[in-house]
Amino acid sequence: PETWVTTELAAEFGVATRTVRFSGDKDLYLGQRSQRRVYHLRDKVRLQLIMQGSHLGLTLDKIWAMV
């Protein structure tokens, strides 16, 4: 799809919905808010980079500086 909601991204990346929302709340990606947050491809790619950095053992500060 062209857009995703929080639960779809969480399922795809195997993380809790809170993880997806937390990263969005830190302005690492935007996600449009309406009744539900809607994420676009750019948001999904950024979340993927965050997850990869996390798996490599990078700190959140380093990940945030990179994305």
Side-chain angles (χ1 to χ4, degrees):
E2 299 277 332
T3 60
W4 297 263
V5 294
T6 303
T7 54
E8 292 170 327
L9 285 181
E12 185 169 333
F13 288 104
V15 298
T17 55
R18 179 176 162 87
T19 301
V20 175
R21 287 191 305 269
F22 173 80
S23 299
D25 289 343
K26 295 294 182 186
D27 293 329
L28 294 177
Y29 47 84
L30 299 175
Q32 293 179 341
R33 292 185 188 190
S34 56
Q35 289 181 334
R36 294 167 46 163
R37 292 184 193 194
V38 177
Y39 300 93
H40 298 277
L41 182 59
R42 177 181 177 196
D43 304 315
K44 183 179 177 182
V45 170
R46 289 183 119 181
L47 180 59
Q48 184 175 22
L49 291 172
I50 292 165
M51 295 291 106
Q52 288 174 343
S54 177
H55 291 302
L56 291 173
L58 298 175
T59 64
L60 289 177
D61 288 335
K62 287 184 180 184
I63 293 169
W64 292 336
M66 292 173 26
V67 297

Coordinates of all heavy atoms in Angstrom, one line a residue:
P1 N 0.8 -1.2 0.0 CA 0.0 0.0 0.0 C 0.9 1.3 0.0 O 2.0 1.2 0.3 CB -0.8 -0.1 1.3 CG 0.0 -1.1 2.2 CD 0.7 -2.0 1.2
E2 N 0.2 2.4 -0.3 CA 0.9 3.7 -0.3 C 1.0 4.2 1.0 O 1.9 5.1 1.3 CB 0.1 4.6 -1.2 CG 0.0 4.2 -2.7 CD 1.3 4.5 -3.5 OE1 1.9 5.5 -3.1 OE2 1.6 3.8 -4.4
T3 N 0.1 3.9 1.9 CA 0.2 4.4 3.3 C 0.0 3.2 4.3 O -0.6 2.1 3.9 CB -0.9 5.4 3.6 OG1 -2.2 4.8 3.3 CG2 -0.7 6.6 2.7
W4 N 0.4 3.4 5.5 CA 0.2 2.4 6.6 C -0.3 3.0 7.8 O 0.0 4.2 8.0 CB 1.6 1.7 6.8 CG 2.2 1.0 5.7 CD1 2.1 -0.3 5.4 CD2 2.9 1.6 4.6 NE1 2.7 -0.6 4.3 CE2 3.3 0.5 3.7 CE3 3.4 2.8 4.3 CZ2 4.0 0.7 2.6 CZ3 4.1 3.0 3.1 CH2 4.4 2.0 2.3
V5 N -0.9 2.3 8.7 CA -1.3 2.7 10.0 C -0.3 2.1 11.0 O 0.4 1.2 10.7 CB -2.7 2.4 10.4 CG1 -3.7 3.2 9.5 CG2 -3.0 1.0 10.3
T6 N -0.3 2.5 12.2 CA 0.6 2.1 13.3 C 0.6 0.6 13.4 O 1.7 0.0 13.4 CB 0.2 2.8 14.6 OG1 0.2 4.2 14.5 CG2 1.2 2.4 15.7
T7 N -0.5 0.0 13.5 CA -0.5 -1.5 13.7 C 0.1 -2.2 12.5 O 0.7 -3.3 12.7 CB -2.0 -2.0 13.9 OG1 -2.8 -1.5 12.8 CG2 -2.5 -1.5 15.2
E8 N -0.1 -1.7 11.3 CA 0.5 -2.4 10.1 C 2.0 -2.3 10.1 O 2.7 -3.3 9.9 CB 0.0 -1.8 8.8 CG -1.5 -2.1 8.6 CD -2.1 -1.3 7.5 OE1 -1.6 -0.1 7.2 OE2 -3.0 -1.8 6.8
L9 N 2.6 -1.1 10.5 CA 4.0 -1.0 10.6 C 4.6 -1.8 11.7 O 5.6 -2.5 11.5 CB 4.4 0.5 10.7 CG 4.3 1.3 9.5 CD1 4.8 2.8 9.8 CD2 5.1 0.8 8.3
A10 N 3.9 -1.9 12.8 CA 4.4 -2.6 14.0 C 4.4 -4.1 13.6 O 5.4 -4.8 13.9 CB 3.5 -2.4 15.2
A11 N 3.4 -4.6 12.9 CA 3.4 -6.0 12.5 C 4.5 -6.3 11.5 O 5.2 -7.4 11.6 CB 2.0 -6.4 11.9
E12 N 4.7 -5.4 10.6 CA 5.7 -5.7 9.5 C 7.1 -5.7 10.1 O 8.0 -6.5 9.7 CB 5.6 -4.6 8.5 CG 6.6 -4.8 7.3 CD 6.3 -3.9 6.1 OE1 5.2 -3.5 6.0 OE2 7.3 -3.7 5.4
F13 N 7.4 -4.8 11.1 CA 8.7 -4.8 11.7 C 8.9 -5.6 12.9 O 10.0 -5.7 13.5 CB 9.1 -3.3 12.0 CG 9.4 -2.5 10.8 CD1 8.5 -1.6 10.3 CD2 10.6 -2.7 10.1 CE1 8.7 -0.9 9.1 CE2 10.9 -2.0 8.9 CZ 9.9 -1.1 8.5
G14 N 7.8 -6.3 13.4 CA 7.9 -7.1 14.5 C 8.1 -6.4 15.8 O 8.8 -6.9 16.7
V15 N 7.6 -5.2 16.0 CA 7.7 -4.4 17.2 C 6.3 -4.0 17.7 O 5.3 -4.2 17.0 CB 8.5 -3.1 16.9 CG1 9.9 -3.5 16.4 CG2 7.9 -2.2 15.9
A16 N 6.3 -3.5 18.9 CA 5.1 -3.1 19.5 C 4.6 -1.8 18.9 O 5.5 -1.0 18.4 CB 5.3 -2.9 21.0
T17 N 3.3 -1.6 18.9 CA 2.8 -0.3 18.3 C 3.4 0.9 19.1 O 3.6 2.0 18.5 CB 1.3 -0.3 18.4 OG1 0.9 -0.5 19.8 CG2 0.7 -1.3 17.5
R18 N 3.7 0.7 20.4 CA 4.3 1.8 21.1 C 5.6 2.2 20.6 O 6.0 3.4 20.6 CB 4.4 1.4 22.6 CG 5.0 2.4 23.5 CD 5.0 1.9 25.0 NE 6.0 2.6 25.8 CZ 5.7 3.8 26.4 NH1 4.5 4.3 26.3 NH2 6.6 4.4 27.1
T19 N 6.4 1.3 20.1 CA 7.7 1.6 19.5 C 7.5 2.5 18.2 O 8.3 3.4 18.0 CB 8.4 0.3 19.1 OG1 8.6 -0.5 20.3 CG2 9.7 0.5 18.4
V20 N 6.5 2.1 17.4 CA 6.3 2.9 16.2 C 5.8 4.4 16.6 O 6.4 5.3 16.1 CB 5.2 2.3 15.3 CG1 4.8 3.2 14.1 CG2 5.7 0.9 14.8
R21 N 4.9 4.5 17.6 CA 4.5 5.8 18.0 C 5.6 6.6 18.7 O 5.7 7.8 18.5 CB 3.3 5.6 18.9 CG 2.0 5.2 18.2 CD 0.8 5.3 19.1 NE 0.9 4.6 20.3 CZ 0.5 3.3 20.5 NH1 -0.1 2.7 19.5 NH2 0.6 2.7 21.6
F22 N 6.4 5.9 19.5 CA 7.5 6.6 20.2 C 8.4 7.3 19.2 O 8.8 8.4 19.4 CB 8.3 5.6 21.1 CG 9.5 6.1 21.7 CD1 9.4 6.9 22.9 CD2 10.8 5.9 21.2 CE1 10.5 7.5 23.5 CE2 11.9 6.5 21.7 CZ 11.8 7.2 22.9
S23 N 8.9 6.5 18.2 CA 9.8 7.1 17.2 C 9.1 8.3 16.5 O 9.7 9.3 16.2 CB 10.2 6.0 16.2 OG 10.9 5.0 16.9
G24 N 7.8 8.2 16.2 CA 7.1 9.3 15.6 C 7.0 10.5 16.5 O 7.1 11.6 16.1
D25 N 6.8 10.2 17.8 CA 6.7 11.3 18.7 C 8.0 12.0 18.9 O 8.0 13.2 19.2 CB 6.2 10.8 20.1 CG 4.8 10.3 20.1 OD1 4.0 10.7 19.2 OD2 4.4 9.6 21.1
K26 N 9.1 11.4 18.6 CA 10.4 12.0 18.7 C 10.7 12.7 17.4 O 11.8 13.2 17.2 CB 11.5 11.0 19.0 CG 11.4 10.3 20.3 CD 11.6 11.3 21.4 CE 11.5 10.7 22.8 NZ 11.6 11.7 23.8
D27 N 9.7 12.9 16.5 CA 9.9 13.6 15.2 C 10.9 12.9 14.3 O 11.5 13.6 13.5 CB 10.2 15.0 15.4 CG 9.0 15.8 16.1 OD1 7.9 15.4 15.8 OD2 9.3 16.8 16.8
L28 N 11.1 11.6 14.4 CA 12.0 11.0 13.5 C 11.4 10.7 12.2 O 12.0 10.6 11.2 CB 12.5 9.6 14.1 CG 13.3 9.8 15.4 CD1 13.7 8.4 15.9 CD2 14.6 10.5 15.0
Y29 N 10.1 10.7 12.2 CA 9.3 10.7 11.0 C 8.0 11.3 11.3 O 7.6 11.4 12.5 CB 9.1 9.3 10.3 CG 8.8 8.3 11.3 CD1 7.4 8.0 11.7 CD2 9.7 7.5 11.9 CE1 7.1 7.1 12.6 CE2 9.4 6.5 12.8 CZ 8.1 6.3 13.2 OH 7.7 5.4 14.1
L30 N 7.2 11.7 10.4 CA 6.0 12.5 10.7 C 4.8 11.7 11.0 O 4.2 11.7 12.0 CB 5.8 13.5 9.5 CG 6.9 14.5 9.3 CD1 6.7 15.3 8.1 CD2 7.2 15.3 10.5
G31 N 4.3 11.0 10.0 CA 3.0 10.3 10.2 C 1.9 11.4 10.3 O 2.0 12.3 11.2
Q32 N 1.0 11.4 9.5 CA -0.1 12.3 9.5 C -1.1 11.9 10.6 O -1.6 10.7 10.6 CB -0.8 12.5 8.2 CG 0.0 13.1 7.1 CD -0.7 13.2 5.8 OE1 -1.7 12.5 5.6 NE2 -0.2 14.0 4.9
R33 N -1.5 12.8 11.4 CA -2.5 12.4 12.5 C -3.9 12.8 12.0 O -4.1 13.9 11.6 CB -2.2 13.1 13.8 CG -0.9 12.5 14.4 CD -0.7 13.2 15.7 NE 0.6 12.8 16.2 CZ 1.0 13.0 17.5 NH1 0.2 13.6 18.3 NH2 2.2 12.6 17.8
S34 N -4.8 11.9 12.1 CA -6.2 12.2 12.0 C -6.8 11.4 13.1 O -6.4 11.5 14.2 CB -6.7 11.8 10.6 OG -6.4 10.4 10.3
Q35 N -7.8 10.5 12.8 CA -8.3 9.6 13.9 C -7.2 8.6 14.2 O -7.1 8.1 15.3 CB -9.6 9.0 13.5 CG -10.8 10.0 13.5 CD -12.0 9.3 13.1 OE1 -12.0 8.3 12.4 NE2 -13.1 9.8 13.5
R36 N -6.5 8.2 13.2 CA -5.4 7.2 13.3 C -4.2 7.8 12.6 O -4.3 8.6 11.6 CB -5.8 5.9 12.6 CG -6.9 5.2 13.3 CD -7.5 4.1 12.6 NE -6.5 3.2 11.9 CZ -6.8 2.0 11.5 NH1 -8.0 1.5 11.6 NH2 -5.9 1.2 11.0
R37 N -3.0 7.5 13.1 CA -1.8 8.0 12.4 C -1.6 7.3 11.1 O -1.8 6.1 11.0 CB -0.6 7.8 13.3 CG -0.6 8.7 14.5 CD 0.7 8.5 15.2 NE 0.5 9.1 16.6 CZ 1.6 9.3 17.4 NH1 2.8 9.0 17.0 NH2 1.4 9.9 18.5
V38 N -1.3 8.0 10.1 CA -1.1 7.5 8.7 C 0.3 7.7 8.4 O 0.8 8.9 8.4 CB -2.1 8.1 7.7 CG1 -1.8 7.5 6.3 CG2 -3.5 7.8 8.1
Y39 N 1.1 6.7 8.0 CA 2.5 6.8 7.6 C 2.6 6.6 6.1 O 2.0 5.8 5.5 CB 3.3 5.8 8.4 CG 3.2 5.9 9.9 CD1 2.2 5.2 10.6 CD2 4.0 6.8 10.6 CE1 2.1 5.4 12.0 CE2 3.9 7.0 12.0 CZ 2.9 6.3 12.7 OH 2.8 6.4 14.0
H40 N 3.6 7.4 5.6 CA 3.9 7.3 4.1 C 5.2 6.5 3.9 O 5.9 6.2 4.9 CB 3.9 8.7 3.5 CG 2.6 9.4 3.6 ND1 1.6 9.2 2.8 CD2 2.1 10.2 4.6 CE1 0.5 9.9 3.1 NE2 0.8 10.6 4.2
L41 N 5.6 6.3 2.7 CA 6.8 5.6 2.4 C 8.0 6.2 3.1 O 8.8 5.4 3.6 CB 7.0 5.5 0.9 CG 8.2 4.7 0.4 CD1 8.1 3.2 0.9 CD2 8.3 4.7 -1.1
R42 N 8.1 7.5 3.1 CA 9.2 8.1 3.7 C 9.3 7.7 5.2 O 10.4 7.5 5.7 CB 9.1 9.6 3.6 CG 10.2 10.4 4.3 CD 10.0 11.9 4.1 NE 11.1 12.5 4.9 CZ 11.1 13.8 5.3 NH1 10.1 14.5 4.9 NH2 12.1 14.3 6.0
D43 N 8.2 7.7 5.9 CA 8.1 7.4 7.3 C 8.5 5.9 7.5 O 9.3 5.6 8.4 CB 6.7 7.5 7.8 CG 6.2 9.0 7.6 OD1 6.9 9.9 7.9 OD2 5.0 9.1 7.2
K44 N 8.1 5.0 6.6 CA 8.4 3.6 6.7 C 9.9 3.4 6.5 O 10.5 2.6 7.2 CB 7.6 2.8 5.6 CG 7.8 1.4 5.7 CD 7.0 0.6 4.7 CE 7.3 -0.9 4.7 NZ 6.6 -1.6 3.7
V45 N 10.5 4.1 5.6 CA 11.9 3.9 5.3 C 12.7 4.4 6.5 O 13.7 3.8 7.0 CB 12.4 4.7 4.0 CG1 13.9 4.8 3.9 CG2 11.7 4.0 2.8
R46 N 12.3 5.5 7.1 CA 13.0 6.0 8.3 C 12.9 5.0 9.5 O 13.8 4.8 10.2 CB 12.5 7.4 8.7 CG 12.9 8.5 7.7 CD 12.4 9.8 8.2 NE 13.6 10.6 8.4 CZ 13.6 11.8 8.8 NH1 12.5 12.4 9.1 NH2 14.8 12.5 9.0
L47 N 11.7 4.5 9.6 CA 11.5 3.5 10.7 C 12.4 2.3 10.4 O 13.0 1.7 11.4 CB 10.0 3.0 10.8 CG 9.7 2.0 11.9 CD1 10.2 2.5 13.3 CD2 8.3 1.6 11.9
Q48 N 12.5 1.9 9.2 CA 13.4 0.7 8.8 C 14.9 1.1 9.2 O 15.6 0.2 9.8 CB 13.3 0.4 7.4 CG 14.1 -0.8 6.9 CD 13.9 -1.1 5.5 OE1 13.5 -0.3 4.7 NE2 14.2 -2.3 5.1
L49 N 15.3 2.3 9.0 CA 16.7 2.7 9.3 C 16.8 2.7 10.9 O 17.9 2.3 11.4 CB 17.0 4.1 8.8 CG 17.1 4.2 7.3 CD1 17.2 5.7 6.8 CD2 18.3 3.4 6.8
I50 N 15.8 3.1 11.6 CA 15.9 3.1 13.0 C 16.0 1.7 13.5 O 16.8 1.4 14.4 CB 14.6 3.8 13.6 CG1 14.6 5.3 13.3 CG2 14.5 3.6 15.1 CD1 13.3 6.0 13.5
M51 N 15.2 0.8 13.0 CA 15.3 -0.6 13.4 C 16.6 -1.2 13.1 O 17.2 -1.9 13.9 CB 14.2 -1.4 12.7 CG 12.8 -1.0 13.1 SD 12.4 -1.5 14.8 CE 12.4 0.1 15.6
Q52 N 17.2 -0.9 11.9 CA 18.5 -1.4 11.6 C 19.6 -0.9 12.5 O 20.4 -1.7 12.9 CB 18.8 -1.1 10.1 CG 18.0 -1.9 9.1 CD 18.2 -1.4 7.7 OE1 18.8 -0.4 7.4 NE2 17.8 -2.3 6.7
G53 N 19.5 0.4 12.8 CA 20.5 0.9 13.7 C 20.4 0.3 15.1 O 21.4 0.0 15.7
S54 N 19.2 0.1 15.5 CA 19.0 -0.6 16.8 C 19.6 -2.0 16.9 O 20.2 -2.4 17.8 CB 17.5 -0.6 17.1 OG 17.2 -1.3 18.4
H55 N 19.3 -2.7 15.8 CA 19.9 -4.1 15.7 C 21.4 -4.1 15.6 O 22.0 -5.1 16.0 CB 19.3 -4.8 14.5 CG 17.8 -5.2 14.7 ND1 17.3 -5.9 15.7 CD2 16.7 -4.8 13.9 CE1 16.0 -6.0 15.6 NE2 15.6 -5.4 14.5
L56 N 22.0 -3.0 15.1 CA 23.4 -2.9 15.1 C 24.0 -2.5 16.4 O 25.2 -2.4 16.5 CB 23.9 -2.0 14.0 CG 23.6 -2.5 12.5 CD1 23.9 -1.3 11.5 CD2 24.5 -3.7 12.2
G57 N 23.2 -2.1 17.4 CA 23.6 -1.7 18.7 C 23.9 -0.2 18.8 O 24.5 0.2 19.8
L58 N 23.5 0.6 17.9 CA 23.7 2.0 18.0 C 22.7 2.6 19.1 O 21.6 2.1 19.3 CB 23.4 2.7 16.6 CG 24.3 2.3 15.5 CD1 23.8 2.9 14.2 CD2 25.7 2.6 15.8
T59 N 23.2 3.6 19.7 CA 22.3 4.3 20.7 C 21.3 5.1 20.0 O 21.4 5.5 18.8 CB 23.2 5.2 21.6 OG1 23.7 6.3 20.8 CG2 24.3 4.5 22.3
L60 N 20.2 5.4 20.7 CA 19.1 6.2 20.1 C 19.7 7.6 19.6 O 19.3 8.1 18.6 CB 18.0 6.4 21.1 CG 17.1 5.2 21.3 CD1 16.1 5.4 22.4 CD2 16.5 4.7 20.1
D61 N 20.5 8.2 20.4 CA 21.1 9.5 20.0 C 21.8 9.4 18.7 O 21.7 10.3 17.8 CB 22.1 10.0 21.1 CG 21.3 10.5 22.3 OD1 20.1 10.8 22.3 OD2 22.0 10.5 23.4
K62 N 22.6 8.3 18.5 CA 23.3 8.2 17.2 C 22.4 7.9 16.1 O 22.5 8.4 15.0 CB 24.3 7.0 17.3 CG 25.5 7.4 18.2 CD 26.6 6.3 18.2 CE 27.7 6.8 19.0 NZ 28.8 5.8 19.0
I63 N 21.3 7.1 16.3 CA 20.3 6.8 15.3 C 19.6 8.1 14.9 O 19.5 8.4 13.7 CB 19.3 5.7 15.8 CG1 20.0 4.4 16.0 CG2 18.2 5.6 14.8 CD1 19.2 3.4 16.7
W64 N 19.2 8.9 15.9 CA 18.5 10.1 15.6 C 19.3 11.1 14.9 O 18.8 11.8 14.0 CB 18.0 10.7 16.9 CG 16.9 9.9 17.5 CD1 16.0 9.0 16.9 CD2 16.5 9.9 18.9 NE1 15.2 8.4 17.8 CE2 15.4 9.0 19.0 CE3 16.9 10.5 20.0 CZ2 14.8 8.7 20.3 CZ3 16.3 10.3 21.2 CH2 15.3 9.4 21.3
A65 N 20.6 11.1 15.1 CA 21.5 12.0 14.4 C 21.6 11.6 12.9 O 21.8 12.5 12.1 CB 22.9 12.0 15.1
M66 N 21.5 10.3 12.7 CA 21.7 9.8 11.3 C 20.4 9.9 10.5 O 20.5 10.1 9.3 CB 22.1 8.4 11.3 CG 23.5 8.2 11.9 SD 24.1 6.5 12.2 CE 23.2 5.5 11.1
V67 N 19.2 9.8 11.1 CA 18.0 9.9 10.3 C 17.4 11.3 10.4 O 16.6 11.7 9.7 CB 16.9 8.8 10.8 CG1 17.5 7.4 10.5 CG2 16.5 9.0 12.2

